[in-house]
Amino acid sequence: QKENLGEVAVMFRALAQSERVHTDNMATLLKAKGVEPVAPAVEAPPAGKTAQYLKLALSSESVETESMYPAFAQKAELEQDSVAAQMFKQTLESDARHGRLLKRAMEQETNISKLPYMMCPKCGYIIGSDKDEECRVCKAKKETFKKL
């Protein structure tokens, strides 16, 4: 907002809400397995410019989509935990979308176009078009989408 990049700020808020869905889904899975999740300490991001935040966020999403979630899904499949495997795969797809949004914002810089961000409340996938009739990841119906 301070850099007059309102659409980037809107995108970051949408990403944060999607990540919250992922957090809640994982906490539910852990609780179902008898583990009480502990929230990590929240660290304030280092002072910087929007371009730096975009790079940092894209780097984090890349780690998650290229190694972390694929490894988690593979391990869950080896353990024959289909619920966990499915959740990790859905989170992977959702985070891949985050990466595409971040990359687009970096490429467009100050000319980022306004999108009608909506989110699937079941898997956290961010939908950038009001034309989608269902979530591309978990197939939840359009009526359930949350406008961001």
Side-chain angles (χ1 to χ4, degrees), residues 63-81:
V63 168
E64 291 174 1
T65 59
E66 292 170 16
S67 59
M68 190 175 86
Y69 286 121
F72 288 175
Q74 183 179 28
K75 179 71 172 167
E77 286 173 346
L78 286 172
E79 294 178 359
Q80 298 181 346
D81 187 338

PDB file of all heavy atoms in Angstrom, residues 63-81:
ATOM      1  N   VAL A  63      10.173 -23.544  -3.158  1.00  0.00           N
ATOM      2  CA  VAL A  63      10.637 -24.626  -2.283  1.00  0.00           C
ATOM      3  C   VAL A  63       9.473 -25.566  -1.967  1.00  0.00           C
ATOM      4  O   VAL A  63       9.619 -26.798  -2.025  1.00  0.00           O
ATOM      5  CB  VAL A  63      11.253 -24.063  -0.982  1.00  0.00           C
ATOM      6  CG1 VAL A  63      11.465 -25.157   0.049  1.00  0.00           C
ATOM      7  CG2 VAL A  63      12.561 -23.347  -1.275  1.00  0.00           C
ATOM      8  N   GLU A  64       8.330 -24.990  -1.654  1.00  0.00           N
ATOM      9  CA  GLU A  64       7.167 -25.799  -1.301  1.00  0.00           C
ATOM     10  C   GLU A  64       6.695 -26.665  -2.473  1.00  0.00           C
ATOM     11  O   GLU A  64       6.367 -27.836  -2.286  1.00  0.00           O
ATOM     12  CB  GLU A  64       6.027 -24.904  -0.821  1.00  0.00           C
ATOM     13  CG  GLU A  64       6.317 -24.246   0.511  1.00  0.00           C
ATOM     14  CD  GLU A  64       5.258 -23.246   0.933  1.00  0.00           C
ATOM     15  OE1 GLU A  64       4.258 -23.064   0.206  1.00  0.00           O
ATOM     16  OE2 GLU A  64       5.424 -22.642   2.004  1.00  0.00           O
ATOM     17  N   THR A  65       6.656 -26.090  -3.678  1.00  0.00           N
ATOM     18  CA  THR A  65       6.102 -26.826  -4.820  1.00  0.00           C
ATOM     19  C   THR A  65       7.107 -27.759  -5.488  1.00  0.00           C
ATOM     20  O   THR A  65       6.716 -28.759  -6.076  1.00  0.00           O
ATOM     21  CB  THR A  65       5.521 -25.864  -5.878  1.00  0.00           C
ATOM     22  OG1 THR A  65       6.551 -24.985  -6.337  1.00  0.00           O
ATOM     23  CG2 THR A  65       4.361 -25.081  -5.318  1.00  0.00           C
ATOM     24  N   GLU A  66       8.387 -27.438  -5.405  1.00  0.00           N
ATOM     25  CA  GLU A  66       9.394 -28.258  -6.085  1.00  0.00           C
ATOM     26  C   GLU A  66       9.914 -29.398  -5.220  1.00  0.00           C
ATOM     27  O   GLU A  66      10.343 -30.416  -5.750  1.00  0.00           O
ATOM     28  CB  GLU A  66      10.552 -27.383  -6.553  1.00  0.00           C
ATOM     29  CG  GLU A  66      10.135 -26.425  -7.662  1.00  0.00           C
ATOM     30  CD  GLU A  66      11.192 -25.377  -7.974  1.00  0.00           C
ATOM     31  OE1 GLU A  66      12.360 -25.551  -7.556  1.00  0.00           O
ATOM     32  OE2 GLU A  66      10.846 -24.385  -8.631  1.00  0.00           O
ATOM     33  N   SER A  67       9.877 -29.229  -3.901  1.00  0.00           N
ATOM     34  CA  SER A  67      10.433 -30.308  -3.079  1.00  0.00           C
ATOM     35  C   SER A  67       9.577 -30.676  -1.870  1.00  0.00           C
ATOM     36  O   SER A  67       9.313 -31.852  -1.630  1.00  0.00           O
ATOM     37  CB  SER A  67      11.858 -29.960  -2.624  1.00  0.00           C
ATOM     38  OG  SER A  67      11.877 -28.766  -1.878  1.00  0.00           O
ATOM     39  N   MET A  68       9.124 -29.688  -1.107  1.00  0.00           N
ATOM     40  CA  MET A  68       8.469 -29.989   0.158  1.00  0.00           C
ATOM     41  C   MET A  68       7.180 -30.792  -0.007  1.00  0.00           C
ATOM     42  O   MET A  68       7.074 -31.910   0.503  1.00  0.00           O
ATOM     43  CB  MET A  68       8.192 -28.692   0.928  1.00  0.00           C
ATOM     44  CG  MET A  68       7.730 -28.928   2.356  1.00  0.00           C
ATOM     45  SD  MET A  68       7.563 -27.377   3.272  1.00  0.00           S
ATOM     46  CE  MET A  68       5.908 -26.913   2.829  1.00  0.00           C
ATOM     47  N   TYR A  69       6.186 -30.240  -0.700  1.00  0.00           N
ATOM     48  CA  TYR A  69       4.908 -30.940  -0.813  1.00  0.00           C
ATOM     49  C   TYR A  69       4.986 -32.214  -1.654  1.00  0.00           C
ATOM     50  O   TYR A  69       4.323 -33.205  -1.311  1.00  0.00           O
ATOM     51  CB  TYR A  69       3.793 -30.012  -1.291  1.00  0.00           C
ATOM     52  CG  TYR A  69       3.353 -29.073  -0.199  1.00  0.00           C
ATOM     53  CD1 TYR A  69       3.425 -27.702  -0.350  1.00  0.00           C
ATOM     54  CD2 TYR A  69       2.895 -29.565   1.025  1.00  0.00           C
ATOM     55  CE1 TYR A  69       3.045 -26.846   0.673  1.00  0.00           C
ATOM     56  CE2 TYR A  69       2.513 -28.716   2.050  1.00  0.00           C
ATOM     57  CZ  TYR A  69       2.595 -27.356   1.864  1.00  0.00           C
ATOM     58  OH  TYR A  69       2.224 -26.516   2.883  1.00  0.00           O
ATOM     59  N   PRO A  70       5.784 -32.248  -2.728  1.00  0.00           N
ATOM     60  CA  PRO A  70       5.920 -33.540  -3.411  1.00  0.00           C
ATOM     61  C   PRO A  70       6.486 -34.629  -2.488  1.00  0.00           C
ATOM     62  O   PRO A  70       6.011 -35.769  -2.508  1.00  0.00           O
ATOM     63  CB  PRO A  70       6.880 -33.237  -4.570  1.00  0.00           C
ATOM     64  CG  PRO A  70       6.671 -31.787  -4.848  1.00  0.00           C
ATOM     65  CD  PRO A  70       6.427 -31.168  -3.491  1.00  0.00           C
ATOM     66  N   ALA A  71       7.458 -34.261  -1.654  1.00  0.00           N
ATOM     67  CA  ALA A  71       8.032 -35.237  -0.715  1.00  0.00           C
ATOM     68  C   ALA A  71       7.009 -35.648   0.336  1.00  0.00           C
ATOM     69  O   ALA A  71       6.908 -36.837   0.679  1.00  0.00           O
ATOM     70  CB  ALA A  71       9.275 -34.660  -0.048  1.00  0.00           C
ATOM     71  N   PHE A  72       6.253 -34.692   0.844  1.00  0.00           N
ATOM     72  CA  PHE A  72       5.214 -35.013   1.832  1.00  0.00           C
ATOM     73  C   PHE A  72       4.173 -35.963   1.241  1.00  0.00           C
ATOM     74  O   PHE A  72       3.759 -36.930   1.878  1.00  0.00           O
ATOM     75  CB  PHE A  72       4.512 -33.752   2.326  1.00  0.00           C
ATOM     76  CG  PHE A  72       5.328 -32.868   3.230  1.00  0.00           C
ATOM     77  CD1 PHE A  72       4.806 -31.655   3.645  1.00  0.00           C
ATOM     78  CD2 PHE A  72       6.595 -33.218   3.672  1.00  0.00           C
ATOM     79  CE1 PHE A  72       5.525 -30.814   4.492  1.00  0.00           C
ATOM     80  CE2 PHE A  72       7.330 -32.390   4.509  1.00  0.00           C
ATOM     81  CZ  PHE A  72       6.789 -31.181   4.920  1.00  0.00           C
ATOM     82  N   ALA A  73       3.723 -35.664   0.013  1.00  0.00           N
ATOM     83  CA  ALA A  73       2.708 -36.501  -0.641  1.00  0.00           C
ATOM     84  C   ALA A  73       3.249 -37.911  -0.884  1.00  0.00           C
ATOM     85  O   ALA A  73       2.550 -38.901  -0.636  1.00  0.00           O
ATOM     86  CB  ALA A  73       2.261 -35.867  -1.956  1.00  0.00           C
ATOM     87  N   GLN A  74       4.495 -37.997  -1.312  1.00  0.00           N
ATOM     88  CA  GLN A  74       5.105 -39.305  -1.560  1.00  0.00           C
ATOM     89  C   GLN A  74       5.200 -40.110  -0.262  1.00  0.00           C
ATOM     90  O   GLN A  74       4.884 -41.297  -0.234  1.00  0.00           O
ATOM     91  CB  GLN A  74       6.486 -39.125  -2.183  1.00  0.00           C
ATOM     92  CG  GLN A  74       7.150 -40.431  -2.546  1.00  0.00           C
ATOM     93  CD  GLN A  74       8.514 -40.226  -3.176  1.00  0.00           C
ATOM     94  OE1 GLN A  74       9.201 -39.243  -2.914  1.00  0.00           O
ATOM     95  NE2 GLN A  74       8.909 -41.166  -4.020  1.00  0.00           N
ATOM     96  N   LYS A  75       5.615 -39.459   0.807  1.00  0.00           N
ATOM     97  CA  LYS A  75       5.730 -40.146   2.103  1.00  0.00           C
ATOM     98  C   LYS A  75       4.355 -40.620   2.574  1.00  0.00           C
ATOM     99  O   LYS A  75       4.213 -41.743   3.054  1.00  0.00           O
ATOM    100  CB  LYS A  75       6.357 -39.204   3.131  1.00  0.00           C
ATOM    101  CG  LYS A  75       6.511 -39.786   4.507  1.00  0.00           C
ATOM    102  CD  LYS A  75       7.574 -40.840   4.556  1.00  0.00           C
ATOM    103  CE  LYS A  75       7.821 -41.253   5.997  1.00  0.00           C
ATOM    104  NZ  LYS A  75       8.599 -42.461   6.098  1.00  0.00           N
ATOM    105  N   ALA A  76       3.343 -39.770   2.434  1.00  0.00           N
ATOM    106  CA  ALA A  76       1.985 -40.154   2.841  1.00  0.00           C
ATOM    107  C   ALA A  76       1.501 -41.354   2.030  1.00  0.00           C
ATOM    108  O   ALA A  76       0.854 -42.252   2.570  1.00  0.00           O
ATOM    109  CB  ALA A  76       1.034 -38.969   2.689  1.00  0.00           C
ATOM    110  N   GLU A  77       1.808 -41.371   0.733  1.00  0.00           N
ATOM    111  CA  GLU A  77       1.411 -42.511  -0.096  1.00  0.00           C
ATOM    112  C   GLU A  77       2.131 -43.785   0.352  1.00  0.00           C
ATOM    113  O   GLU A  77       1.522 -44.857   0.406  1.00  0.00           O
ATOM    114  CB  GLU A  77       1.692 -42.222  -1.566  1.00  0.00           C
ATOM    115  CG  GLU A  77       0.706 -41.239  -2.156  1.00  0.00           C
ATOM    116  CD  GLU A  77       1.044 -40.798  -3.569  1.00  0.00           C
ATOM    117  OE1 GLU A  77       2.177 -41.037  -4.042  1.00  0.00           O
ATOM    118  OE2 GLU A  77       0.161 -40.185  -4.193  1.00  0.00           O
ATOM    119  N   LEU A  78       3.421 -43.669   0.679  1.00  0.00           N
ATOM    120  CA  LEU A  78       4.171 -44.829   1.172  1.00  0.00           C
ATOM    121  C   LEU A  78       3.577 -45.366   2.468  1.00  0.00           C
ATOM    122  O   LEU A  78       3.580 -46.572   2.718  1.00  0.00           O
ATOM    123  CB  LEU A  78       5.645 -44.472   1.388  1.00  0.00           C
ATOM    124  CG  LEU A  78       6.489 -44.308   0.130  1.00  0.00           C
ATOM    125  CD1 LEU A  78       7.878 -43.762   0.482  1.00  0.00           C
ATOM    126  CD2 LEU A  78       6.606 -45.622  -0.625  1.00  0.00           C
ATOM    127  N   GLU A  79       3.063 -44.456   3.282  1.00  0.00           N
ATOM    128  CA  GLU A  79       2.432 -44.841   4.552  1.00  0.00           C
ATOM    129  C   GLU A  79       0.959 -45.203   4.367  1.00  0.00           C
ATOM    130  O   GLU A  79       0.251 -45.435   5.342  1.00  0.00           O
ATOM    131  CB  GLU A  79       2.589 -43.714   5.567  1.00  0.00           C
ATOM    132  CG  GLU A  79       4.035 -43.488   5.970  1.00  0.00           C
ATOM    133  CD  GLU A  79       4.212 -42.333   6.948  1.00  0.00           C
ATOM    134  OE1 GLU A  79       3.208 -41.674   7.314  1.00  0.00           O
ATOM    135  OE2 GLU A  79       5.369 -42.088   7.350  1.00  0.00           O
ATOM    136  N   GLN A  80       0.502 -45.192   3.129  1.00  0.00           N
ATOM    137  CA  GLN A  80      -0.884 -45.511   2.773  1.00  0.00           C
ATOM    138  C   GLN A  80      -1.892 -44.605   3.480  1.00  0.00           C
ATOM    139  O   GLN A  80      -2.955 -45.048   3.906  1.00  0.00           O
ATOM    140  CB  GLN A  80      -1.170 -46.983   3.020  1.00  0.00           C
ATOM    141  CG  GLN A  80      -0.298 -47.880   2.178  1.00  0.00           C
ATOM    142  CD  GLN A  80      -0.565 -49.346   2.379  1.00  0.00           C
ATOM    143  OE1 GLN A  80      -1.219 -49.760   3.329  1.00  0.00           O
ATOM    144  NE2 GLN A  80      -0.079 -50.160   1.457  1.00  0.00           N
ATOM    145  N   ASP A  81      -1.531 -43.335   3.583  1.00  0.00           N
ATOM    146  CA  ASP A  81      -2.427 -42.329   4.175  1.00  0.00           C
ATOM    147  C   ASP A  81      -2.985 -41.488   3.028  1.00  0.00           C
ATOM    148  O   ASP A  81      -2.429 -40.449   2.675  1.00  0.00           O
ATOM    149  CB  ASP A  81      -1.665 -41.465   5.177  1.00  0.00           C
ATOM    150  CG  ASP A  81      -2.576 -40.520   5.955  1.00  0.00           C
ATOM    151  OD1 ASP A  81      -3.691 -40.225   5.467  1.00  0.00           O
ATOM    152  OD2 ASP A  81      -2.161 -40.066   7.032  1.00  0.00           O
TER     153      ASP A  81
END
